[in-house]
Structure formats: structure tokens, C-alpha cells
Amino acid sequence: MTDHQNEDLRHLARAVALSREHMNDGAGGPFGAVIVRDGEVLAEGWNRVTSANDPTAHAEVTAIRLACEAVGDFALQGATLYTSCEPCPMCLAAAYWARVSRIVYANTRVDAAEIGFDDSLIYEEIPKPASDRIIAMDHVPSLEARAVFDAWADKADKVSY
């Protein structure tokens, strides 16, 4: 086994250990995550949905937030996200927004669905036109909202992301 494979197994094992530890502590569901770049652990996260009353407090999102804070940047190029389960649509989107370079996961979304964490509805809803989604979505154009976007487009000192 290569050093790279050993590192993957070690960090993935830590993500799994976090999932068990914090599940047992009552923090939330059985999910843990570790973000590593250049051999350095930038952050660890675990599911805190029920303990924080925050539906976005998934392990991966929590780890991404902490890692970005630790490095002082919103981007994590070159980082690997190790997670105890294949990321849900929200967490996957967060990984893309954070520009994570690689994701290594243990359980699959099918495994998660089997224990009550089924993301299939979200996967089915995303490609639908907004008007066909279960959550009502009404487009109400606003000249002021458009003006804000125009101001952003013209802003000389904006930080693009």
C-alpha cells in the first residue's frame, strides 16, 4: 500500500471515528468529516443538525466553514475532504463552492437512505424547472435587485468567487 493510500485510510478512519463519537454524544446524525491539505489537517466537523437546530450543520459544511476560517480564505484548492458518507447535495455543492480538490468517502448515499437519510427527493428536484418543484418558487423581478447586481458587476474592488 502506498503512503498516499495509507494517508487516505488514516483520515477516513478519523472521519468515521468523529461520526461515531458525536453521534453517541447526541450532537446529530452519524456523519463526520476531515479536511486535509498538504498533509495538514485543516479542520474536523461532525453533524450538528439536531444539537444546533441548524439544518445546514452537516459534517462536511461544518468542516468546510472551519477550514476556510483556519486558512483565512474561502477557497480550499488542493484540499481533500474525507467524509464518513458520500456528501448530500448541499454538502457536495459546498465542496464545489469551496473548490475542494478531492473527496474521499466511506458509506454511499444508498447506505444513508437505508438508515433514513434519503436525499433522492433533492436529487430529483434540482433538475426540474423552478415552477415544477415541490417548494413553491415565485419569480418576482425587481429593478432594485437588478441594480444591485449591476453595481456588483461594475465594482472595482470586488473579490470574485
Side-chain angles (χ1 to χ4, degrees):
M1 189 171 296
T2 67
D3 288 344
H4 185 70
Q5 290 169 321
N6 282 329
E7 182 176 343
D8 281 352
L9 291 175
R10 183 167 50 88
H11 294 304
L12 189 58
R14 177 63 183 154
V16 171
L18 288 166
S19 73
R20 179 181 295 281
E21 175 185 343
H22 294 285
M23 173 193 69
N24 288 341
D25 288 347
F31 306 98
V34 178
I35 298 179
V36 178
R37 182 166 58 192
D38 299 326
E40 176 189 356
V41 174
L42 301 179
E44 297 180 339
W46 49 89
N47 186 285
R48 299 183 65 239
V49 169
T50 57
S51 60
N53 294 318
D54 179 354
T56 70
H58 290 201
E60 298 89 340
V61 169
T62 301
I64 288 168
R65 289 174 180 160
L66 292 171
C68 288
E69 186 177 332
V71 301
D73 196 347
F74 57 82
L76 299 170
Q77 287 101 335
T80 299
L81 168 61
Y82 295 91
T83 179
S84 62
C85 186
E86 181 179 358
C88 75
M90 176 184 68
C91 295
L92 182 59
Y96 275 101
W97 279 113
R99 294 164 179 81
V100 168
S101 295
R102 184 168 170 250
I103 299 171
V104 177
Y105 62 95
N107 294 316
T108 68
R109 65 185 185 190
V110 172
D111 298 329
E114 289 173 355
I115 62 164
F117 295 94
D118 190 353
D119 299 324
S120 61
L121 173 69
I122 299 168
Y123 284 107
E124 292 166 5
E125 286 287 294
I126 289 172
K128 290 181 181 177
S131 61
D132 292 344
R133 293 183 182 147
I134 292 171
I135 296 176
M137 296 183 69
D138 298 315
H139 177 217
V140 180
S142 163
L143 292 176
E144 181 58 22
R146 185 70 238 180
V148 173
F149 270 23
D150 293 341
W152 173 260
D154 296 337
K155 187 172 171 41
D157 64 342
K158 69 183 168 207
V159 177
S160 295
Y161 61 95

